[in-house]
């Protein structure tokens, strides 16, 4: 804190996800004033959304109120509000009620939204899996279908589900759904387990991984009863079916969209902000935006340069590290030092395929592991991500080991409360979550929606 121009003004951070929280925490640690704006009053941990959607965890277990996260950071002010515009020249944001907030710097950490690539009917009929509200809507829908089938109001074909996208999101939700449906059918809660189709236009599952992982994911999902269909895209989505580019159709009431993402609408619509691939902000190596002094973009909202002209993937560890790095550079600017290029510490890539089945590619040489070792790697990386937002990470570790070791068929209780991570939080610390209406657009949502 320094006497540099603007040093007495708050840093404005748009977005309280992994990137925005890491940035605000680092600045708050140094006593810098921060105004963090998010439409939700809570942070959501996306890697566990599929567990909420499949009723394995209650929604409140993967969401944490921002005011609790910043309880020990008195210089961080949290504003729960929908941002309608970015004012990049003024280093600020405009809220839905017209209020403008400007600061010494603007950090754009607004994350992403599902990208439907113009597929007709996808936005209307498919269920995205990007927020806690999305996961809740999907859980409620699947639960309604299961109940209607078990009571004879729908025939058992209604149990068939189509998952679009063979990346980690699609693979994880497919794995969890096949386990759930098989367990329910085994216990005769539903007449059959239904079919879970996993559609991808590419010829491999988990495209960013190695050939060994592609095969492992394909084999494991097939053994669990899923039907991967590769080399064909989705042509259109309807209330009662999905039409594929190969001319076939799959009757279904449930289409889950894990087909891609692009930057949050407010980022793509911002005047004066040049966006690139995926509508994300192209940033310089130090995470600033060319020609816009004081503006940073981080996490899923940014195209962050990597080696050989590539950009870093949209991952939790990239978001967290880039958020923290932007704070470091703001601190440097405030003390009159030059900024430094972002250095990403790559922890590897990993995906959960089901209980006892995960793949991980770790270390510099992308060493491939699967099964319990991969699960341990997944656990370590996700515990580290969670530690930024939750002080009781040991509760997550013991829940996760327990989850890994249990026999799923024995524990599924569809209508009962799902098993909790025993965080031991105060009841007053619960976030305000509601499934609300289906939206990932940029109109101001109902309180608690995302
Ligand atoms: C289903 C799923 C599973 C994933 N699994 C993994 C995994 O296993 N491992 C991994 O490393 N990564 C995983 N990821 C990716 C990882 O979660 C993201 O890369 C990371 O969370 C991005 O963080 P962020 O802070 O950039 O964005 P986000 O976490 O999306 O945060 C953006 C914030 O901005 C707020 N916001 C946006 N627009 C506005 C507005 N107009 N007004 C107010 N607030 C706004 C949002 O409410 C949100 O809180 C997964 C992602 C998904 C969707």
């Amino acid at each position: 804190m320094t006497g540099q121009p603007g040093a007495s003004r708050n840093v404005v951070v748009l977005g309280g996800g992994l990137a925005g929280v890491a940035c605000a925490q680092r600045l708050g640690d140094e006593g810098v004033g921060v105004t963090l704006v998010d439409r939700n009053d809570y942070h959501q941990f996306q890697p566990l959304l599929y567990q909420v959607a499949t009723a394995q965890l209650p929604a409140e277990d993967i969401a944490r109120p921002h005011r609790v996260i910043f309880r020990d950071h008195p210089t961080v002010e949290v504003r729960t509000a929908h941002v309608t515009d970015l004012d990049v020249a003024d280093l600020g944001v405009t809220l839905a009620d017209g209020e403008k907030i400007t600061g010494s710097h603007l950090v754009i950490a607004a994350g992403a939204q599902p990208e439907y690539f113009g597929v007709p009917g996808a936005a209307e009929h498919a269920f995205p899996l990007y927020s806690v509200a999305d996961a809740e809507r999907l859980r409620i829908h699947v639960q309604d279908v299961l109940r209607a089938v078990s009571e004879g109001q729908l025939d058992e074909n209604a149990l068939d589900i189509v998952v679009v996208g063979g990346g980690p999101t699609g693979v994880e939700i497919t794995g969890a759904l096949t386990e759930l449906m098989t367990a329910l059918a085994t216990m005769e809660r539903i007449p059959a387990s239904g079919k879970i189709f996993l559609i991808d236009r590419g010829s491999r599952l988990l495209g960013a991984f190695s050939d060994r992982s592609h095969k492992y994911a394909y084999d494991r999902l097939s053994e669990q009863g899923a039907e991967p269909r590769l080399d064909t895209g989705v042509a259109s989505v309807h209330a009662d079916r999905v039409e594929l580019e190969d001319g076939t159709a799959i009757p279904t009431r449930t289409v889950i969209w894990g087909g891609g993402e692009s930057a949050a609408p407010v980022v793509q619509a911002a005047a004066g902000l040049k966006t690139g691939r995926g509508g994300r902000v192209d940033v310089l190596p130090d995470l600033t935006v060319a020609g816009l002094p004081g503006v940073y973009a981080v996490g899923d909202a940014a195209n962050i340069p990597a080696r050989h002209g590539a950009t870093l993937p949209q991952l939790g560890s990239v978001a967290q590290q880039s958020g923290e790095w932007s704070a470091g550079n703001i601190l440097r600017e405030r003390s009159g030092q030059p900024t430094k290029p972002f250095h990403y510490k790559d922890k590897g890539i990993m995906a959960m395929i089901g209980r006892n089945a995960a793949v991980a590619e770790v270390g510099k040489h992308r060493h491939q592991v699967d099964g319990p070792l991969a699960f341990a790697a997944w656990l370590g990386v996700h515990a580290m991500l969670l530690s930024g937002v939750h002080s009781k990470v040991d509760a997550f570790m013991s829940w996760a080991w327990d989850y890994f070791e249990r026999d799923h068929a024995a524990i599924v209780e569809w209508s009962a409360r799902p098993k909790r991570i025993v965080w031991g939080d105060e009841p007053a610390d619960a976030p305000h979550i509601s499934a609300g209406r289906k939206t990932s657009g940029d109109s101001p949502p109902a309180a608690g929606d995302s």
Side-chain angles (χ1 to χ4, degrees):
M1 304 272 303
T2 64
Q4 293 293 313
S8 61
R9 301 176 70 202
N10 276 10
V11 173
V12 177
V13 178
L14 166 57
L18 286 170
V21 164
C23 175
Q25 278 177 331
R26 175 81 209 282
L27 292 169
D29 285 345
E30 301 298 323
V32 172
V34 175
T35 303
L36 180 139
V37 190
D38 199 298
R39 62 186 158 212
N40 295 321
D41 70 350
Y42 55 87
H43 168 277
Q44 46 201 350
F45 191 62
Q46 290 171 332
L48 291 176
L49 286 176
Y50 77 96
Q51 296 235 347
V52 173
T54 51
Q56 298 181 54
L57 274 178
E60 60 268 27
D61 274 21
I62 67 160
R64 185 137 174 91
H66 287 123
R67 68 183 163 72
V68 175
I69 295 171
F70 293 108
R71 204 158 27 198
D72 300 326
H73 289 94
T75 62
V76 178
E77 176 200 21
V78 175
R79 298 286 303 272
T80 304
H82 181 79
V83 168
T84 53
D85 286 301
L86 293 179
D87 308 316
V88 286
D90 286 345
L91 303 177
V93 295
T94 305
L95 310 185
D97 64 3
E99 184 187 351
K100 288 181 188 295
I101 303 174
T102 59
S104 69
H105 296 78
L106 170 64
V107 180
I108 302 168
Q113 62 175 334
E115 174 60 60
Y116 298 106
F117 300 107
V119 172
E124 293 82 358
H125 301 298
F127 288 85
L129 193 59
Y130 203 82
S131 65
V132 173
D134 291 341
E136 276 290 89
R137 269 190 296 270
L138 177 57
R139 180 185 64 77
I140 291 164
H141 168 81
V142 172
Q143 215 155 0
D144 284 348
V145 170
L146 293 177
R147 203 165 282 131
V149 171
S150 65
E151 289 170 3
Q153 292 152 13
L154 289 175
D155 71 35
E156 58 184 64
N157 292 341
L159 296 169
D160 295 351
I161 295 175
V162 173
V163 178
V164 184
T169 299
V171 165
E172 284 176 349
I173 190 75
T174 301
L177 281 168
T178 50
E179 282 187 339
L180 175 69
M181 303 289 266
T182 305
L184 290 171
T186 306
M187 292 186 294
E188 298 181 0
R189 304 266 189 92
I190 49 177
S193 59
K195 292 194 195 101
I196 319 283
F197 299 92
L198 176 57
I199 312 294
D200 198 287
R201 193 179 259 130
S203 53
R204 308 159 302 179
L205 296 178
L206 299 177
F209 290 64
S210 67
D211 283 348
R212 187 173 147 187
S213 297
H214 303 153
K215 183 169 164 17
Y216 182 86
Y218 189 97
D219 291 349
R220 286 306 300 244
L221 285 180
S222 303
E223 278 161 27
Q224 284 174 212
E227 281 194 33
R229 283 207 192 164
L230 304 178
D231 296 312
T232 185
V234 171
S236 58
V237 182
H238 305 262
D240 61 351
R241 70 190 186 286
V242 167
E243 292 181 357
L244 303 183
E245 286 170 349
D246 63 8
T248 60
I250 303 173
T252 182
R253 290 170 175 263
T254 311
V255 180
I256 301 171
W257 196 265
E261 62 175 52
S262 59
V266 70
V267 172
Q268 300 200 46
L273 190 61
K274 192 175 152 287
T275 54
R277 191 158 174 258
R280 293 179 281 270
V281 185
D282 290 328
V283 293
L284 298 170
D286 65 353
L287 305 173
T288 59
V289 182
L292 293 173
V295 177
Y296 286 77
V298 289
D300 279 8
N303 286 319
I304 303 176
R307 276 181 295 174
H308 311 303
T311 53
L312 292 173
Q314 280 63 59
L315 282 179
S317 38
V318 174
Q320 195 178 53
Q321 291 180 39
S322 62
E324 197 178 340
W325 197 277
S326 66
N329 274 343
I330 289 169
L331 293 169
R332 285 183 196 97
E333 281 197 66
R334 285 190 161 214
S335 59
Q337 297 169 39
T339 58
K340 286 190 178 170
F342 175 50
H343 174 67
Y344 174 54
K345 288 196 189 114
D346 189 351
K347 304 208 163 48
I349 46 178
M350 44 209 74
M352 286 278 273
I353 297 165
R355 207 169 294 262
N356 288 313
V359 287
E361 298 186 358
V362 290
K364 209 169 155 192
H365 301 293
R366 284 274 188 263
H367 183 62
Q368 201 267 2
V369 287
D370 43 52
L373 257 182
F375 181 76
W378 182 93
L379 192 50
V381 166
H382 289 85
M384 208 176 307
L385 285 177
L386 256 181
S387 67
V389 289
H390 219 300
S391 53
K392 299 191 177 79
V393 170
D394 51 341
F396 165 73
M397 301 285 267
S398 61
W399 166 81
W401 277 121
D402 186 36
Y403 165 80
F404 187 61
E405 284 170 1
R406 273 177 299 150
D407 171 9
H408 196 188
I411 57 96
V412 170
E413 287 180 53
W414 182 251
S415 56
R417 278 184 67 77
K419 191 171 162 67
R420 296 211 50 179
I421 301 174
V422 187
W423 295 115
D425 289 341
E426 316 243 329
D429 288 345
H432 302 117
I433 297 170
S434 84
R437 63 194 161 77
K438 181 173 187 280
T439 178
S440 47
D442 214 22
S443 54
D449 199 358
S450 66

